[in-house]
Amino acid sequence: MSLNKDLILLFLSFAGLVTFSQETQGLKDSMRTQDLDEVIVTATRTVRQLSSVPLPVTLISKKQIDRTGVTRLNEILNEQTGIVMTPDATIGGGEGVQIQGIASDYVLILIDGVPVVGRSSGNLDLSRFAVGNIKQIEVVKGPSSSLFGSEALGGVINIITEKPSSENITGQFGHRAATFNNQNSNVSVSQRRDKFGYSFFADRLSTDGYDLADGDNGQTVNPFFNYTFNGRLFFDATEKLKIFASGRYFSQEFDVMPSTSEERDANVHLRIDHNPSSKTNWQYELYYTSYITDEKILDPVNNDLLLANDFNQQLFRPEIRYNHSYSENNTMTLGGGYNFETLDRSLFAEQVTFDSQYLFVQYDFKPLENLNIIAGARFDNHSEYNSQLSPKLSARYNFNESFALKVSVGSGFKAPDFRQLYLDFTNAAGGGYSVFGKEVEAAGIQRLLDTDEIANVVVEQSTLGARLNAESSIGYNFGFSYKKGKISSDINLFRNDFDNLIDTQILAAKTNGQNVFGYINRESVYTQGVELDIKYRLLENLDFGAGYQLLYAFDKDKEEALEAGTVFGRNPETLETIRLARSDYFGLENRSRHTINFKMFYEIPKWDANANLRVVYRSRFGLTDRNGNDLLDILDNSFVAGYALVNFAFGKTFYKNYQLQFGANNLLDFKGQNPLAAQDEEVLVNPGTQFFTRLNIKF
């Protein structure tokens, strides 16, 4: 049966369930009272209603997370418009989050407003973040660096954890079992009494992993287990002074015997809120975090040590913020801080240390009743590169209560980090792919050639080790929002221009089917497109949602070469060399032209149950240049065909506190095929359908 027929059958089946259950409870014509507008804090670092923010923002609520049955951050992000989990390192070997076509290096990940570190393998592994104690996830798209720094050129993802609210001890225990012996247990406890509150969360995940390459030694994802512990304290010393303290610890081990692979992630966060008056607020913050990995690769025959890969990154950051409201619609924000960071890695010649100081300012005001303007800038003084000023300006104009215009523009700067310069990483747990920094890639490729681990080098070897330059960017967003009655919609046009963009590229293919990756400057690159989000309440208890992104991502220098007629390619069928036209240029690697998501959420009050169906479609994308002309064109044979992932979940509550849920991810059993697999070896893209069931008990 074709993919289209499968999708149609699923939609009809879901609609049948809706119709049947609606008849059993009797549909009322009156609409349900609208929920209060969601509140967010990330876009402006002040409490704002989502509908009033002049920036492109996505808010993922706890209710949405619970109903889908997902357990990790990457799973829920992949279902949002304009956000794609991409195999930046290798298919099956690690994923990065891409926003508006901008790679994960430029997306800042926060937990309760403070940054997460640990990009040891090229991406920040979002699967290490459990979602069991999350209140909501806020995603700000585009350059918001005026408050968060140059790491946020592509956007900010802020994980907001829950706060205790009940005077009684409340909590929940849950266990989820899924395909591949995936076992996830978590428990949470919280209480709020008078001036004191606390919460505790613990999560354990384990799996047998899976293998996408039958001819490869080991598994694509090896068996592993991890633990997450998070404790938080809240104390209202006075009506004007509030104290918040939290600690988080994550530990993960992979079963790659006789080799070892471990990682640990820990942070401590202290924040003091002082409100000397109703118009003035001071926030004092201390934050420390560390990310440590210990990986030893041993020869499976004689247990000889082949590679020791230790990684220890630490960040200490004090920060002060000041907010003053001159009136209800005029707020000034000032802040400053200091970053001290160290990185000690066994594959580096010595420990790397750098520090920076920064100041930021923002003015949020309404010069007219229907016009909101936010102007801001951030100044960074870094020990490793020149000082940089990053300004931002955004505005929102409300034509009426339902229709509004949103505009924003911002610029930023990012120097090559030490990972991009000095990383020498081979991930035994992920199937053996390698990533080399620019300063060590030539030696790394030569080392693999000497040990006969390279099947072929796909770049000109004379280019290995060429200088990696710093980057600068400017981003634009222009959109409209509409909300009235049963329907709400947002449309956003975006463009991001980069000079000297640092991106990943494939340097070589290994004999085991994996790849060797490095970094490259794209002299002048842009991503542009359109995002569309629509939500519609068809029936009293039935909500539809759909999102679409059209994306174009190109290298301007390559476009000019094509226009000049100096780029050639070889037809894989006729082996004829032909001059390529501009229309033959597909664009930057790992970017899909079209991504679509569709969601149906249905409440069945009579049964105290709910059901949902979610579809994520990604059109085809290319992984690398395969015909030697240094760009991804339609003649390259490195394209992954477009595919749809269909996810389903059904949940029912028994006796108020017992919730049973079951479902399936990738319901159509998509597996696909990796075009970079070695000859006569099949390497899949996805492990297929994954069934799950979960029991949750509240107390």
Side-chain angles (χ1 to χ4, degrees):
M1 183 179 291
S2 68
L3 175 62
N4 290 337
K5 290 182 179 179
D6 285 341
L7 289 173
I8 292 172
L9 180 59
L10 277 169
F11 292 155
L12 290 176
S13 300
F14 191 89
L17 171 64
V18 170
T19 303
F20 171 76
S21 57
Q22 190 69 41
E23 290 175 351
T24 62
Q25 62 179 315
L27 175 62
K28 297 181 180 179
D29 293 332
S30 61
M31 285 188 59
R32 177 169 48 183
T33 302
Q34 293 288 338
D35 295 332
L36 294 176
D37 196 5
E38 299 97 334
V39 173
I40 68 168
V41 297
T42 308
T44 63
R45 286 210 176 184
T46 56
V47 178
R48 291 285 298 267
Q49 287 187 327
L50 177 62
S51 63
S52 70
V53 175
L55 296 166
V57 177
T58 297
L59 188 146
I60 308 170
S61 66
K62 177 177 178 58
K63 182 177 180 180
Q64 182 182 157
I65 296 172
D66 289 343
R67 295 294 163 85
T68 58
V70 302
T71 63
R72 288 300 184 265
L73 179 61
N74 60 310
E75 297 174 310
I76 193 66
L77 288 177
N78 197 45
E79 298 182 353
Q80 312 307 315
T81 303
I83 304 175
V84 180
M85 298 305 300
T86 62
D88 282 353
T90 181
I91 293 179
E95 287 184 319
V97 58
Q98 186 186 101
I99 297 179
Q100 293 185 346
I102 305 172
S104 62
D105 296 42
Y106 311 94
V107 178
L108 181 65
I109 309 298
L110 308 172
I111 298 180
D112 290 324
V114 290
V116 177
V117 300
R119 301 175 184 266
S120 64
S121 61
N123 293 303
L124 189 63
D125 181 14
L126 301 188
S127 67
R128 78 180 197 235
F129 300 109
V131 298
N133 67 332
I134 291 179
K135 175 187 176 183
Q136 62 190 42
I137 302 168
E138 302 175 3
V139 182
V140 182
K141 300 176 182 177
S144 53
S145 57
S146 63
L147 294 185
F148 292 102
S150 62
E151 296 298 318
L153 298 185
V156 177
I157 299 174
N158 193 6
I159 304 167
I160 309 294
T161 56
E162 288 187 292
K163 294 182 178 180
S165 57
S166 174
E167 292 187 355
N168 299 319
I169 297 177
T170 61
Q172 63 180 16
F173 169 79
H175 182 79
R176 180 182 185 270
T179 307
F180 308 120
N181 194 24
N182 184 295
Q183 306 290 333
N184 183 211
S185 299
N186 59 71
V187 61
S188 62
V189 179
S190 66
Q191 186 180 21
R192 180 80 186 195
R193 293 293 297 271
D194 298 325
K195 297 182 178 182
F196 180 77
Y198 69 90
S199 67
F200 175 78
F201 173 75
D203 182 277
R204 184 187 188 277
L205 173 67
S206 65
T207 178
D208 289 343
Y210 54 83
D211 189 15
L212 300 181
D214 293 337
D216 192 10
N217 292 327
Q219 295 186 187
T220 306
V221 172
N222 287 291
F224 69 86
F225 65 89
N226 61 49
Y227 294 91
T228 300
F229 301 98
N230 183 208
R232 291 170 299 144
L233 298 174
F234 303 82
F235 179 62
D236 297 342
T238 67
E239 291 184 358
K240 297 182 178 181
L241 187 66
K242 299 181 180 181
I243 300 173
F244 165 76
S246 73
R248 178 181 178 273
Y249 179 76
F250 170 85
S251 176
Q252 180 166 262
E253 293 186 20
F254 284 88
D255 183 8
V256 289
M257 296 297 293
S259 302
T260 60
S261 179
E262 302 176 4
E263 59 180 317
R264 298 183 296 279
D265 175 15
N267 63 61
V268 179
H269 182 198
L270 174 65
R271 186 177 67 236
I272 300 174
D273 286 88
H274 181 214
N275 300 292
S277 71
S278 60
K279 294 184 176 182
T280 302
N281 168 255
W282 287 90
Q283 292 182 337
Y284 309 92
E285 194 168 64
L286 282 175
Y287 178 65
Y288 169 80
T289 184
S290 69
Y291 177 79
I292 300 172
T293 64
D294 182 6
E295 186 174 24
K296 292 180 174 59
I297 302 175
L298 305 177
D299 188 311
V301 178
N302 52 30
N303 283 354
D304 289 342
L305 180 64
L306 301 178
L307 181 66
N309 181 20
D310 298 331
F311 181 98
N312 187 340
Q313 182 180 10
Q314 300 182 57
L315 170 67
F316 173 71
R317 191 190 78 173
E319 183 176 289
I320 298 176
R321 296 187 293 273
Y322 170 76
N323 294 291
H324 182 77
S325 298
Y326 298 98
S327 64
E328 182 180 357
N329 298 315
N330 291 272
T331 301
M332 175 71 75
T333 299
L334 300 171
Y338 171 75
N339 285 324
F340 179 76
E341 189 169 358
T342 64
L343 179 58
D344 189 7
R345 185 147 196 180
S346 58
L347 301 178
F348 288 0
E350 59 185 12
Q351 176 176 293
V352 177
T353 300
F354 61 86
D355 60 86
S356 64
Q357 305 83 37
Y358 60 89
L359 298 170
F360 58 83
V361 58
Q362 177 182 268
Y363 186 42
D364 184 346
F365 66 104
K366 296 184 70 174
L368 302 173
E369 182 179 356
N370 294 331
L371 177 63
N372 178 211
I373 296 176
I374 300 178
R378 172 167 167 145
F379 177 78
D380 286 272
N381 179 45
H382 200 282
S383 61
E384 300 300 319
Y385 54 85
N386 294 331
S387 302
Q388 181 66 26
L389 180 67
S390 303
K392 183 190 73 171
L393 179 67
S394 59
R396 178 188 179 98
Y397 183 78
N398 296 319
F399 293 97
N400 51 49
E401 292 183 355
S402 302
F403 187 60
L405 166 69
K406 297 185 291 185
V407 180
S408 65
V409 58
S411 66
F413 170 85
K414 186 176 185 298
D417 59 33
F418 292 103
R419 171 182 55 86
Q420 294 164 337
L421 294 175
Y422 301 107
L423 178 64
D424 188 340
F425 177 77
T426 297
N427 189 356
Y433 71 91
S434 298
V435 186
F436 295 137
K438 201 64 178 177
E439 297 294 324
V440 300
E441 65 182 15
I445 290 292
Q446 188 59 53
R447 184 178 71 239
L448 295 177
L449 286 170
D450 293 341
T451 55
D452 295 325
E453 296 180 62
I454 297 293
N456 64 296
V457 179
V458 300
V459 299
E460 189 68 37
Q461 286 189 254
S462 61
T463 65
L464 296 175
R467 179 178 175 81
L468 198 61
N469 298 314
E471 309 165 274
S472 62
S473 75
I474 184 168
Y476 311 86
N477 285 273
F478 179 88
F480 297 91
S481 65
Y482 177 81
K483 184 175 183 180
K484 187 175 182 179
K486 298 181 179 181
I487 189 169
S488 65
S489 63
D490 285 278
I491 183 170
N492 181 54
L493 288 78
F494 62 87
R495 178 170 174 117
N496 301 284
D497 283 282
F498 288 83
D499 287 328
N500 292 324
L501 174 71
I502 299 175
D503 201 1
T504 57
Q505 67 168 345
I506 295 178
L507 303 178
K510 285 189 171 185
T511 55
N512 66 355
Q514 297 293 332
N515 298 290
V516 181
F517 296 82
Y519 299 94
I520 186 174
N521 279 117
R522 308 286 187 181
E523 286 299 326
S524 186
V525 165
Y526 66 91
T527 72
Q528 66 180 22
V530 180
E531 298 167 327
L532 174 65
D533 260 309
I534 298 176
K535 297 179 181 178
Y536 181 67
R537 177 162 291 167
L538 178 63
L539 301 173
E540 184 181 9
N541 297 313
L542 177 62
D543 293 312
F544 283 87
Y548 170 70
Q549 178 183 261
L550 172 66
L551 174 67
Y552 294 94
F554 295 107
D555 187 319
K556 293 181 181 178
D557 292 335
K558 300 296 188 296
E559 288 182 314
E560 292 176 0
L562 287 161
E563 295 289 351
T566 59
V567 181
F568 297 84
R570 175 172 293 184
N571 190 312
E573 296 180 358
T574 65
L575 301 182
E576 177 187 5
T577 299
I578 59 175
R579 178 180 281 108
L580 297 180
R582 171 63 183 84
S583 59
D584 297 322
Y585 182 27
F586 186 82
L588 300 183
E589 293 86 349
N590 221 336
R591 274 80 172 180
S592 294
R593 186 82 69 241
H594 310 279
T595 54
I596 303 171
N597 66 77
F598 179 83
K599 305 181 182 75
M600 290 191 291
F601 287 89
Y602 186 59
E603 301 281 346
I604 314 173
K606 184 176 181 179
W607 299 351
D608 203 359
N610 62 84
N612 61 80
L613 183 69
R614 296 113 52 213
V615 181
V616 177
Y617 172 77
R618 183 180 183 188
S619 67
R620 72 171 186 145
F621 56 95
L623 295 177
T624 189
D625 165 47
R626 294 291 291 272
N627 55 22
N629 56 16
D630 197 30
L631 60 81
L632 184 64
D633 60 71
I634 61 175
L635 299 180
D636 282 308
N637 60 353
S638 65
F639 284 90
V640 175
Y643 59 87
L645 299 178
V646 180
N647 304 322
F648 170 79
F650 177 85
K652 177 171 173 53
T653 301
F654 300 89
Y655 306 108
K656 294 184 179 181
N657 294 326
Y658 298 85
Q659 298 174 333
L660 182 64
Q661 185 180 51
F662 65 87
N665 294 329
N666 192 9
L667 195 59
L668 297 184
D669 197 31
F670 165 77
K671 295 182 179 179
Q673 189 171 7
N674 183 354
L676 301 183
Q679 187 175 3
D680 300 326
E681 286 189 14
E682 183 180 25
V683 179
L684 304 177
V685 176
N686 194 287
T689 303
Q690 301 161 60
F691 297 97
F692 72 88
T693 183
R694 181 172 68 173
L695 175 64
N696 194 63
I697 304 173
K698 294 183 178 181
F699 56 88

